Amino acid sequence: MAVSSWAGMSEREKEGCRELLDLLDTDDLLALTDTVTTRLVQPEDRQEAIHAILLYSQSAEELLKRKKVFREIIFKYLATKGVIVSPSSEKHQLISRTKLYWCEELKNCASDEKCVKPNEEQHEEGGKQEGDKQDNDKEYYSLAEEFCQWFFGILNSQNPLIGQSEDEYGPQHFWDDAKLKFCYHTSEENIEEYFGAELVSLRLLSLVKEECLFLNPNLNTGGLRCTVSPHGLIVVAVAGTVHRDTCCLGIFEQIFGLIRCPFRENTWKIKFVNLKIVGQNAMEPGTEIETPCIQYEKEELQEFCVPKELALIEPQKN
């Protein structure tokens, strides 16, 4: 199947954006089509307009931020879904709540997802093994993407500038012996280490709740990689930008180790976290701050699957 411009949206995001766009007046919908497609597409009806907007939008967040997607429309969409938000919520708060709502639905539906069946016409054993490997890679990548959408959604929702989430963030999402290594580089490099679910959870929480940071992961263009060890540890590496209100402060790189919970089906808990934040004033000249990418290859991520996985993330060299 060919990759389309929808690659930046999950199936749930496509469905949600389609429902939300259907609430727009026809004039606003057509005006939005002109903006998104730079007037290259002239739809004949509303459904063609919605199709074109989704096709040429790079991500759900980009679409929701468009001027013609009014704050009132997002509020109305959430209301139709039974999601209660303050009528005085600003647009960026409504966008965050909408994304969180979609992530919650993804999490609830995860148990119903089916693995892709191998090609029934493949008869050679080597071909079957390669097909199985590709299916597993897609499955783990989907799990990593879903995890990041959920984790950053629930963490960012604790930011007082956005509003509290109905979901509970806390140590219950970490293993009791979880470990965090946190490196942040502004005027100088600082390193912190935390052990135990409670302390790891609280330190990450303080970044968004006390320091009012917003971690925006890049899940589209090279910002997400993952691998799995023979023993079932999934390593997820994600890069993104760090914001406070409307100001972009720098970039971050975060690596998670996830282990399946043996007592709860389709539940994964965090074993370790390596987080590195680099402030804009400490970045190397020429660094692209808008689209930070993960430099690790899968083979390098495998090194995090062994005891030395807790080594501090070293700066990536160009």
Side-chain angles (χ1 to χ4, degrees):
M1 181 176 66
V3 178
S4 72
S5 297
W6 284 1
M9 292 192 196
S10 68
E11 290 296 328
R12 183 62 193 95
E13 287 175 331
K14 296 175 202 172
E15 179 186 349
C17 285
R18 186 179 292 108
E19 294 173 334
L20 192 147
L21 290 172
D22 204 35
L23 299 175
L24 287 175
D25 293 336
T26 299
D27 289 344
D28 292 328
L29 186 64
L30 295 177
L32 180 58
T33 307
D34 288 342
T35 300
V36 173
T37 68
T38 61
R39 299 182 182 274
L40 295 178
V41 176
Q42 299 298 320
E44 295 183 357
D45 55 34
R46 289 178 57 87
Q47 292 307 311
E48 283 192 11
I50 292 174
H51 178 81
I53 292 170
L54 292 174
L55 186 63
Y56 288 95
S57 293
Q58 295 300 311
S59 68
E61 184 170 8
E62 177 200 60
L63 176 55
L64 293 176
K65 287 182 177 179
R66 295 285 188 182
K67 290 183 179 180
K68 287 297 182 180
V69 182
F70 304 111
R71 187 190 78 86
E72 292 76 14
I73 292 296
I74 304 177
F75 182 88
K76 182 177 180 180
Y77 169 77
L78 291 173
T80 63
K81 298 300 180 181
V83 180
I84 306 301
V85 292
S86 171
S88 62
S89 298
E90 297 183 5
K91 183 177 178 179
H92 71 88
Q93 295 173 317
L94 296 176
I95 291 174
S96 296
R97 189 63 187 94
T98 301
K99 292 172 61 180
L100 182 62
Y101 167 66
W102 291 337
C103 290
E104 289 168 349
E105 286 210 323
L106 271 177
K107 186 172 63 174
N108 292 336
C109 295
S111 60
D112 297 328
E113 292 181 356
K114 303 298 182 180
C115 295
V116 179
K117 292 182 179 180
N119 188 337
E120 294 180 354
E121 295 181 358
Q122 285 183 314
H123 299 292
E124 296 183 5
E125 187 63 28
K128 289 182 180 180
Q129 291 177 352
E130 183 63 27
D132 290 343
K133 181 179 183 300
Q134 291 177 356
D135 288 345
N136 286 336
D137 287 346
K138 291 178 181 179
E139 181 181 357
Y140 288 124
Y141 187 89
S142 296
L143 188 151
E145 184 177 37
E146 181 182 334
F147 165 77
C148 287
Q149 289 174 332
W150 167 79
F151 178 82
F152 289 103
I154 192 174
L155 180 63
N156 285 324
S157 71
Q158 309 303 309
N159 187 316
L161 300 178
I162 296 176
Q164 294 294 316
S165 166
E166 294 179 1
D167 280 355
E168 182 181 358
Y169 172 86
Q172 70 272 18
H173 302 304
F174 300 81
W175 290 99
D176 289 343
D177 59 349
K179 299 181 180 181
L180 165 65
K181 286 204 171 185
F182 176 33
C183 171
Y184 58 97
H185 193 174
T186 50
S187 57
E188 60 182 23
E189 189 174 67
N190 298 274
I191 300 173
E192 301 176 2
E193 297 184 14
Y194 299 88
F195 302 90
E198 188 73 28
L199 290 179
V200 171
S201 172
L202 286 175
R203 184 62 184 102
L204 292 173
L205 177 63
S206 69
L207 293 175
V208 297
K209 193 168 185 178
E210 306 299 331
E211 301 178 43
C212 295
L213 299 183
F214 185 95
L215 302 181
N216 184 33
N218 171 26
L219 303 183
N220 300 322
T221 54
L224 176 65
R225 290 184 184 273
C226 68
T227 189
V228 61
S229 77
H231 305 291
L233 171 71
I234 292 183
V235 177
V236 178
V238 60
T241 50
V242 182
H243 305 258
R244 180 180 289 122
D245 201 8
T246 59
C247 180
C248 183
L249 303 179
I251 61 175
F252 76 90
E253 182 178 75
Q254 195 158 2
I255 297 181
F256 300 90
L258 308 179
I259 296 179
R260 187 191 296 272
C261 179
F263 309 111
R264 298 181 61 185
E265 187 177 0
N266 296 318
T267 299
W268 297 75
K269 298 176 70 172
I270 301 169
K271 179 70 172 179
F272 71 84
V273 183
N274 282 11
L275 172 61
K276 180 179 180 181
I277 294 179
V278 180
Q280 191 167 4
N281 60 341
M283 294 169 61
E284 296 182 4
T287 302
E288 179 59 58
I289 197 170
E290 294 184 355
T291 55
C293 297
I294 288 294
Q295 302 299 321
Y296 289 99
E297 298 296 334
K298 284 188 176 181
E299 293 74 14
E300 295 174 298
L301 288 179
Q302 281 287 338
E303 297 180 6
F304 289 87
C305 296
V306 293
K308 64 178 180 179
E309 85 251 356
L310 298 177
L312 183 66
I313 301 174
E314 293 295 335
Q316 295 298 307
K317 297 181 180 179
N318 295 329

